[in-house]
Amino acid sequence: MSGLTAPGFPEQQVRARARHGAAAAFPESENYGTTLYGEHGEATVRPEDAIDRARLVPPVFVPHRMEKMIDLGREPVCGDVDLTTTIGGFRSAFPFFVAAFGSTRAASGDLGEAVARQAGSLGIPMVIGENIVPVSGYGRMAEEKESSLLRRITEYASAAPDGFGGVVVQQSTEDADAEVWNLVYSDPSAAPLLESGRLAFELKVGQGAKPGVGGMTLVPRKRATELSSQYDVLDIYEPAEDSVLRCSSPGTFTEEILRQQIRLMRNNYPRCRVWVKLPPSRDVHLAAAVAWAAGADSVTVDGAEGGTGWAPRAFLDHVGLPLAECLQRLDAQDNSLLVSGRIWEGARAVKCLALGATAVGLGRAALVASDEDAETGLTNFVECLALEMRLLISSLGKYRVAEVGAEDIWTEARSGEAFVPRNG
């Protein structure tokens, strides 16, 4: 472990899953036979938001289970749930993707590479965040830091099974100046991903979990002058501290700018998928609709509960819509909608699917799990998450991720509503 911490996040539960895998989905086995469990029977994380407080509601009558039973010639079990899905044009072994970490120091070096390696072996897409190249380098030069973008791409590609997963490279205003997408698109190291249709570029719109303000990191004072030509550099710390605040731009967007940017991406990089990253903004539904209509293969929305980077306290606690509200406003229909925001266990993930998401992102959970065990931590964590999801989805009488829907969830907003059964 590197000493990584995640205040306000169920860090210890994630670390337990990284150590023990699927067994961590259950209470401690030594308590079996001596402890009686019911709701809140074990000291778990308290509900934090409307998604946590919502409940999955299995039916008595399960026509999908009947169909599955006829197909199998036996009663279906949770292992029959198929978690493979399509995420933004990529085939994924699970309805998960690794969310972007940006240029935060926490994800640099060995930890960022450990996440990439395990995500690749799991066959799930991985997003590489913005501002890595301008700050840490692309990775072609010997003196460039270990957190380079190229190192993460090559670690992922070397471990990924054929036909599954994909790498998504973000670009912000400063990245555009560094021609990040051009570098990746023409790099021989990325060619296997490009040729197999497993490379995407993601346009970052209005930042992520801290909407309206650009990415922020602390950098050594000696780099202040060098970086000030590209970034806003604020000297807000005591002179004895060897840190200054590096602030990037969130970019300027109108509906037409967003449309043109997506069209430009499709024209300039025709062999790549096009992803768009949106913050939890009040007009998130409009921005998503514009992106999909312009041809985006996927839209990712960070709820206000998300985030792995450095941010002002005021933004952490007071800015942006909760993920539950974002999901209520969005209408993906047949489009790919990816969401993130404190995803760490199966129930929250399945609830997001029921509320309209195609897949969920692992940000802090992926970093903490890999920090616990650089070789198998994320793999064990995903194994636990997958078991929970199979158990939950099968309890709903369904056996494919895409079958989970609004009828499977009860929310506070629906409390007291007259129940109107759906056909089927």
Side-chain angles (χ1 to χ4, degrees):
M1 294 193 305
S2 67
L4 185 72
T5 62
F9 187 73
E11 177 190 341
Q12 295 310 313
Q13 286 85 346
V14 171
R15 290 189 181 277
R17 289 163 177 245
R19 292 192 303 272
H20 305 300
F26 295 87
E28 298 290 343
S29 58
E30 58 263 31
N31 295 332
Y32 180 74
T34 61
T35 304
L36 305 178
Y37 291 100
E39 186 179 28
H40 306 310
E42 192 175 41
T44 58
V45 177
R46 294 177 58 189
E48 297 285 345
D49 63 11
I51 297 175
D52 290 332
R53 292 189 294 271
R55 299 187 71 91
L56 295 168
V57 283
V60 171
F61 302 117
V62 282
H64 288 289
R65 184 174 297 162
M66 174 65 76
E67 293 170 5
K68 192 69 173 178
M69 183 176 70
I70 294 170
D71 181 50
L72 295 172
R74 59 168 171 79
E75 282 283 353
V77 294
C78 70
D80 296 315
V81 174
D82 182 7
L83 293 182
T84 59
T85 190
T86 300
I87 300 177
F90 298 146
R91 190 67 174 160
S92 179
F94 305 96
F96 321 134
F97 66 98
V98 173
F101 306 139
S103 51
T104 175
R105 188 183 303 166
S108 65
D110 292 343
L111 185 55
E113 291 172 23
V115 172
R117 192 164 50 249
Q118 293 181 74
S121 67
L122 286 164
I124 61 176
M126 177 186 71
V127 185
I128 302 177
E130 93 285 28
N131 292 325
I132 294 176
V133 171
V135 174
S136 300
Y138 182 66
R140 285 177 174 159
M141 307 301 291
E143 66 271 16
E144 289 178 332
K145 298 182 178 180
E146 291 182 348
S147 55
S148 69
L149 185 145
L150 182 57
R151 288 283 292 273
R152 296 193 201 180
I153 291 176
T154 54
E155 286 291 330
Y156 182 97
S158 65
D162 291 342
F164 282 89
V167 170
V168 185
V169 180
Q170 277 187 356
Q171 182 168 284
S172 63
T173 303
E174 294 81 9
D175 289 314
D177 294 337
E179 298 189 344
V180 171
W181 287 343
N182 288 337
L183 285 171
V184 175
Y185 199 70
S186 60
D187 195 308
S189 298
L193 293 171
L194 188 62
E195 291 166 0
S196 60
R198 291 183 293 168
L199 184 65
F201 290 155
E202 182 172 74
L203 178 65
K204 192 166 188 180
V205 179
Q207 197 49 32
K210 49 182 186 295
V213 65
M216 297 179 177
T217 60
L218 301 185
V219 297
R221 287 182 180 277
K222 65 182 180 181
R223 300 202 62 197
T225 302
E226 168 199 348
L227 293 172
S228 63
S229 62
Q230 296 173 284
Y231 298 93
D232 188 17
V233 178
L234 304 180
D235 189 355
I236 61 175
Y237 297 101
E238 296 294 333
E241 294 189 46
D242 185 29
S243 294
V244 293
L245 180 66
R246 185 230 70 190
C247 308
S248 61
S249 166
T252 300
F253 288 90
T254 63
E255 291 181 41
E256 187 56 28
I257 289 174
L258 179 56
R259 288 190 194 97
Q260 294 300 332
Q261 285 274 46
I262 294 171
R263 290 168 184 163
L264 188 67
M265 292 168 70
R266 296 186 69 86
N267 288 334
N268 290 357
Y269 311 106
R271 301 169 70 190
C272 282
R273 297 289 182 177
V274 174
W275 288 28
V276 174
K277 172 74 169 288
L278 297 177
S281 53
R282 67 184 186 222
D283 55 355
V284 65
H285 56 295
L286 175 58
V290 169
W292 283 319
D297 293 291
S298 191
V299 169
T300 301
V301 176
D302 264 351
E305 303 89 342
T308 56
W310 191 252
R313 290 190 177 97
F315 278 82
L316 295 174
D317 296 330
H318 300 288
V319 179
L321 291 175
L323 180 55
E325 180 65 21
C326 291
L327 283 165
Q328 184 173 339
R329 296 186 183 205
L330 288 159
D331 183 10
Q333 298 182 357
D334 295 327
N335 297 299
S336 180
L337 171 63
L338 315 181
V339 301
S340 60
R342 209 165 49 78
I343 307 294
W344 71 275
E345 49 82 33
R348 187 172 176 86
V350 175
K351 290 173 187 177
C352 287
L353 299 182
L355 292 169
T358 305
V360 297
L362 308 176
R364 283 171 291 182
L367 281 173
V368 169
S370 296
D371 182 63
E372 182 67 25
D373 187 327
E375 296 302 318
T376 62
L378 179 56
T379 302
N380 290 342
F381 175 81
V382 167
E383 177 186 315
C384 183
L385 193 61
L387 175 61
E388 286 181 318
M389 292 189 71
R390 286 191 171 100
L391 288 165
L392 291 164
I393 293 172
S394 67
S395 79
L396 299 170
K398 297 180 177 180
Y399 295 90
R400 293 190 303 115
V401 171
E403 292 174 349
V404 179
E407 67 275 13
D408 297 316
I409 190 168
W410 173 90
T411 66
E412 294 172 334
R414 296 174 63 180
S415 179
E417 288 183 359
F419 175 68
V420 180
R422 298 189 178 200
N423 293 332

